[in-house]
Amino acid sequence: MREAYHVELDNLADRLSGMSSQVADAMERATRALLDSDLKLAEQVISDDVKVDDARADCEEKAYALLALQAPVATDLRIVVAALHAAESLERMGDLALHVAKAARRRHPDPVLPEQVRAAFAKMGEVDVRLARKAEEVIRTKDVEAARSIEADDDEVDDIHRNLFSVIMDKDWPHGVATAVDVTLLGRFYERYADHAVSVARRIVFVVTGRMPGYTGSDV
């Protein structure tokens, strides 16, 4: 029975790593759609989002079944609880990629981004996809050091995001209010995507160590 139970835990981790791969693909395609005004890619991201939603529902169903039927304790309980939180974060990452794709579709055939911010979004997209790929690996390996390294990559996205504000707030910004709003919202989508990848990584650290990163309370 215990062997079968641990097979179920491994299957749950496999589902989560699969979700991470899905949302990495989604953001990669959404960024290409945004930069290239590629309507076909944007539509693919939009239509595929339901698969991410279904994957979350499947993960949650499996996790709740394990809680109800197996009454896990200690590390096993941490795995199940972390899986519930991670599935939620991964679904949000898929939703954020969806928002990027919808922006590309809404403005098509016109480009969404002015030339002066394209490089910033290309870089944020690259880092976001790298974060999701790392999260996929961390879920499979439970490598704590790799999980912690994700926060350093998130800092890079934060820096680019902050710099975008200085660009659009410059008095010489020539692209008008509508474009400034688009850039602001899109920048937020990329920044939040990275934050959710960090959240997934922190859950893996919690599984392995029993503590969330940054916890400062005393033992009881």
Side-chain angles (χ1 to χ4, degrees):
M1 288 293 293
R2 294 298 297 174
E3 182 177 346
Y5 171 51
H6 282 283
V7 168
E8 289 298 317
L9 289 176
D10 289 342
N11 287 340
L12 183 58
D14 288 342
R15 286 178 169 85
L16 287 173
S17 65
M19 277 189 75
S20 194
S21 177
Q22 284 179 297
V23 300
D25 290 343
M27 183 54 90
E28 186 171 40
R29 291 168 182 153
T31 301
R32 286 167 52 201
L34 185 70
L35 294 172
D36 299 340
S37 299
D38 189 324
L39 182 60
K40 183 178 179 180
L41 266 182
E43 294 286 8
Q44 182 179 355
V45 174
I46 293 164
S47 64
D48 283 350
D49 183 63
V50 68
K51 297 177 183 178
V52 178
D53 296 341
D54 289 345
R56 177 191 176 177
D58 182 58
C59 285
E60 289 186 338
E61 180 182 350
K62 299 299 183 187
Y64 285 128
L66 287 169
L67 286 173
L69 299 176
Q70 301 292 343
V73 296
T75 300
D76 292 348
L77 178 60
R78 292 202 300 270
I79 291 171
V80 177
V81 172
L84 288 168
H85 287 285
E88 179 182 7
S89 288
L90 289 164
E91 187 201 18
R92 285 297 301 137
M93 290 164 74
D95 288 342
L96 291 160
L98 172 69
H99 295 332
V100 173
K102 284 184 173 180
R105 182 177 69 176
R106 184 173 63 251
R107 296 296 185 189
H108 185 81
D110 296 323
V112 181
L113 302 174
E115 187 62 36
Q116 69 197 94
V117 298
R118 284 175 56 83
F121 279 93
K123 187 61 179 178
M124 283 195 295
E126 175 189 325
V127 177
D128 275 4
V129 172
R130 185 166 75 239
L131 283 167
R133 301 289 186 208
K134 279 190 176 182
E136 177 186 357
E137 181 71 14
V138 164
I139 290 167
R140 289 193 299 102
T141 65
K142 297 183 178 63
D143 185 329
V144 170
E145 291 308 311
R148 288 172 172 154
S149 75
I150 287 178
E151 295 208 35
D153 288 332
D154 175 55
D155 290 342
E156 187 175 359
V157 175
D158 290 340
D159 288 343
I160 298 170
H161 183 237
R162 279 191 295 269
N163 187 62
L164 280 174
F165 283 104
S166 66
V167 173
I168 63 177
M169 294 301 292
D170 190 287
K171 62 183 178 62
D172 295 323
W173 171 260
H175 304 291
V177 174
T179 299
V181 170
D182 281 342
V183 171
T184 300
L185 288 174
L186 285 162
R188 180 63 171 162
F189 298 153
Y190 281 88
E191 188 259 344
R192 289 299 297 147
Y193 184 103
D195 286 346
H196 281 292
V198 170
S199 178
V200 172
R202 286 177 172 175
R203 293 294 170 184
I204 300 305
V205 174
F206 169 69
V207 166
V208 176
T209 69
R211 283 182 175 271
M212 288 292 288
Y215 176 77
T216 57
S218 58
D219 292 324
V220 292

